[in-house]
Amino acid sequence: MKKWLWALVGVIVIAVVIGLFVHQKRAKQSEIIKIGAILPLTGDFAFFGEEIKKGIEIGIEKMKVIHPDLRVVVLYEDDQSLSPVAAVNAANKLIKADKVDCGVTMIVEESRPIAPIFNKNKIPLLVLWDSNEFIRSAGEYIFSNGFSTEKAGILMAQFAYNNLKIRNVAVVKHVDPWAEIISKSFRQEFERLGGNVISEETVSPDEKDYRKIVADLKKENPEGIYFALVPPNSALFLIQAKQMGLSSIFLTGDAFIPDVITAAGSASEGVFFTNIYTEKKEASEIRKLYKNKFGNEPVDVTIVSFGYDGIQKIIEAYYYGKGDIYKGLKMLFGPNRSADRVEKIFKVESSKPLKIKEVE
């Protein structure tokens, strides 16, 4: 009788162990990360938002192979090409209604109005493109996997002074967070090196008539012009400058996107600009995954990489932090909470951006 009792106990114990194992496995399989993506999905910058979205999608597919028990759900909200009102509404919806674990957005302009919301609710927000002082000071829950705006300005100032031998420049900038940051870092580094900033003009991003500014620049006759202007009207500045015969060397930053180069046409020839990039190995991998999923290659693999890299960083942070994404992001990015990647310098030749090898 005792033998039967012990046998029964053994069966029960085994059943309990198996039940616990199955329960734990099911619990593990049901692990879900909810991510809220606030991107420009309509308007002038919709191309960037859509490509980043596709990068997120192929990034998730890659991580499924590595972490098959984790389910990643991404909820997309449209900020209507950097509308602060739309971004704030999106952030409130994602946090209060959708209960997301983490947020992502594209650039500093989008992060400005929503950073206080994510900080207040203690939900981490990852900025994918920009990395700068504003983001570093925006609060402990704001992180960046992007390129340093300040370092881009510094790099171009060094290139202008050391490589192009420019000694005096004029600065033209839009009233815009990115423009303010990058033009300030350019100016400070150029002056530190011994150069002279002979004038600085600030103009609204909606301005379409730059002829007075160009006329004043012609009188000053600077060797170089650093124009921190955002799309789409930045192309008009170059067109009007060429029409009026302004012959200075033109320098700018990564807002000099392909659409601006195309819109400016021949007026963009010879422009030097700092720009984002993707390492060859990763670019090759992204192109392959992108083509397998969408049937064609990406127009700009680096834009796609922002979503691709960003989603992987969040998943890595989830595991590093043992389920706490905020803790994991702190471990990944350190005390500055930023990747602070450094851009490279390009020059427009035959309507195409070519990397300048001598500064690599």
Side-chain angles (χ1 to χ4, degrees):
M1 187 69 178
K2 288 183 179 180
K3 289 182 179 180
W4 281 104
L5 285 174
W6 282 113
L8 180 61
V9 169
V11 170
I12 293 171
V13 169
I14 291 170
V16 170
V17 170
I18 291 173
L20 287 172
F21 174 77
V22 170
H23 176 76
Q24 288 174 351
K25 188 174 182 181
R26 285 176 179 169
K28 187 177 181 183
Q29 287 175 337
S30 66
E31 283 183 300
I32 298 174
I33 301 176
K34 291 177 71 175
I35 300 169
I38 302 174
L39 299 170
L41 301 175
T42 58
D44 292 333
F45 301 108
F47 164 77
F48 297 100
E50 289 293 343
E51 288 297 273
I52 288 173
K53 182 180 177 182
K54 290 177 179 177
I56 290 172
E57 290 176 15
I58 62 174
I60 289 173
E61 289 195 354
K62 178 184 177 181
M63 296 306 286
K64 280 181 181 177
V65 177
I66 304 171
H67 303 292
D69 296 326
L70 181 66
R71 183 182 168 207
V72 180
V73 176
V74 183
L75 305 173
Y76 294 96
E77 292 292 332
D78 180 16
D79 65 31
Q80 301 168 17
S81 285
L82 318 188
S83 164
V85 174
V88 167
N89 290 338
N92 283 322
K93 175 184 177 295
L94 289 169
I95 291 172
K96 295 177 182 178
D98 298 318
K99 308 295 183 183
V100 296
D101 302 301
C102 182
V104 299
T105 195
M106 187 172 71
I107 57 177
V108 63
E109 283 86 348
E110 293 161 302
S111 69
R112 277 181 179 267
I114 64 177
I117 300 170
F118 278 86
N119 273 311
K120 181 180 178 181
N121 289 277
K122 297 183 179 180
I123 302 295
L125 174 69
L126 182 64
V127 183
L128 303 173
W129 187 325
D130 289 326
S131 177
N132 52 49
E133 184 56 39
F134 167 76
I135 294 170
R136 288 189 292 273
S137 63
E140 62 176 306
Y141 284 84
I142 312 303
F143 297 83
S144 168
N145 193 42
F147 290 86
S148 170
T149 309
E150 289 90 353
K151 289 179 181 178
I154 290 169
L155 179 65
M156 183 55 80
Q158 293 171 345
F159 178 74
Y161 191 88
N162 296 325
N163 295 72
L164 299 178
K165 307 302 180 185
I166 293 173
R167 292 297 178 265
N168 64 81
V169 299
V171 174
V172 181
K173 69 180 190 295
H174 273 150
V175 180
D176 171 84
W178 168 85
E180 293 288 346
I181 293 168
I182 200 167
S183 61
K184 179 181 178 181
S185 63
F186 172 87
R187 183 185 67 248
Q188 289 178 340
E189 179 65 9
F190 191 75
E191 290 177 336
R192 187 193 70 80
L193 291 168
N196 182 30
V197 178
I198 60 178
S199 68
E200 185 169 338
E201 186 75 30
T202 303
V203 62
S204 167
D206 298 323
E207 183 60 64
K208 292 180 171 60
D209 187 353
Y210 293 91
R211 288 174 296 181
K212 184 182 183 304
I213 294 174
V214 173
D216 291 340
L217 289 170
K218 284 191 71 175
K219 292 176 184 177
E220 294 167 351
N221 193 30
E223 295 174 277
I225 297 172
Y226 189 76
F227 64 104
L229 304 176
V230 299
N233 293 331
S234 49
L236 297 176
F237 171 74
L238 287 175
I239 292 170
Q240 292 168 23
K242 182 174 182 180
Q243 289 172 343
M244 295 177 67
L246 186 57
S247 59
S248 304
I249 298 173
F250 288 90
L251 319 161
T252 188
D254 61 15
F256 199 58
I257 60 177
D259 284 353
V260 174
I261 296 174
T262 301
S266 61
S268 68
E269 288 297 309
V271 172
F272 293 94
F273 63 105
T274 47
N275 202 19
I276 55 180
Y277 67 96
T278 307
E279 298 292 350
K280 288 182 179 180
K281 184 177 179 181
E282 183 183 53
S284 177
E285 180 180 46
I286 290 174
R287 286 192 182 96
K288 181 179 179 181
L289 292 170
Y290 189 102
K291 189 170 183 179
N292 287 343
K293 185 170 181 64
F294 302 109
N296 58 285
E297 291 201 359
V299 176
D300 190 327
V301 69
T302 304
I303 301 300
V304 179
S305 77
F306 289 140
Y308 180 80
D309 292 337
I311 199 71
Q312 291 185 74
K313 282 290 191 299
I314 291 171
I315 295 170
E316 287 175 28
Y318 176 82
Y319 284 102
Y320 285 177
K322 297 181 179 179
D324 187 334
I325 296 174
Y326 165 68
K327 181 180 177 181
L329 287 172
K330 285 181 70 176
M331 294 169 67
L332 282 173
F333 291 112
N336 285 335
R337 306 187 314 283
S338 293
D340 276 339
R341 292 188 280 171
V342 182
E343 297 180 348
K344 294 186 182 295
I345 294 180
F346 294 75
K347 181 183 181 182
V348 178
E349 292 185 8
S350 301
S351 301
K352 294 181 180 180
L354 299 178
K355 199 181 297 181
I356 303 297
K357 294 182 179 180
E358 58 261 34
V359 295
E360 292 186 338

